[in-house]
Amino acid sequence: MTYRLPAALFATVLALGVAAPAFAAPATVAAFDPDKDGTIDLKEAQAAASMKFDMLDPDKDGTLDAKELTGLMTAAEMKAADPDTDGTLDKKEYLAVVAARFKAADPDAEGTIDAKELSSPAGASLAMLLK
């Protein structure tokens, strides 16, 4: 399943969503690599993100509000990722942010994230939405 972002939303997510907080522990590729090929592809990233979404949704209403996303997205990032402007992100919207951050963390555009890419600021920003 792939999600396409409008160009303006993609640019905003890239501009705002590439820095992880200094306190974030570095993620490892192995944590998101069920096929153990040493890389993370978008499907693997979105599977991990889907599980993370479910963990972040304790009220099980199918959406994440600003409180549930505290520490993962700024208010500006959330607003940019919320095309229906309802103040929440549903799973499709959350996975669209994951796809944008994945693309930002994959500068060689080969469709996978390796350990070096995951340790970059863009990779750390992606990992925050997965772990």
Side-chain angles (χ1 to χ4, degrees), residues 12-123:
T12 302
V13 170
L14 286 180
L16 297 173
V18 296
F23 60 84
T28 64
V29 168
F32 314 113
D33 183 24
D35 65 5
K36 302 189 185 328
D37 68 353
T39 64
I40 305 164
D41 62 32
L42 181 58
K43 184 177 177 181
E44 291 168 329
Q46 289 186 322
S50 181
M51 289 188 294
K52 173 75 172 199
F53 182 96
D54 294 340
M55 284 180 17
L56 292 171
D57 186 21
D59 57 7
K60 304 299 180 211
D61 67 351
T63 64
L64 301 177
D65 59 29
K67 183 178 178 184
E68 292 165 325
L69 288 167
T70 299
L72 297 178
M73 287 185 196
T74 66
E77 289 170 326
M78 186 168 169
K79 185 176 180 179
D82 183 20
D84 59 8
T85 65
D86 66 353
T88 66
L89 297 185
D90 61 26
K91 193 176 278 191
K92 181 179 177 182
E93 292 165 338
Y94 186 81
L95 293 178
V97 174
V98 169
R101 289 190 184 184
F102 184 94
K103 186 171 183 170
D106 184 22
D108 56 11
E110 66 185 359
T112 59
I113 305 292
D114 61 24
K116 182 179 177 185
E117 292 166 332
L118 191 61
S119 67
S120 73

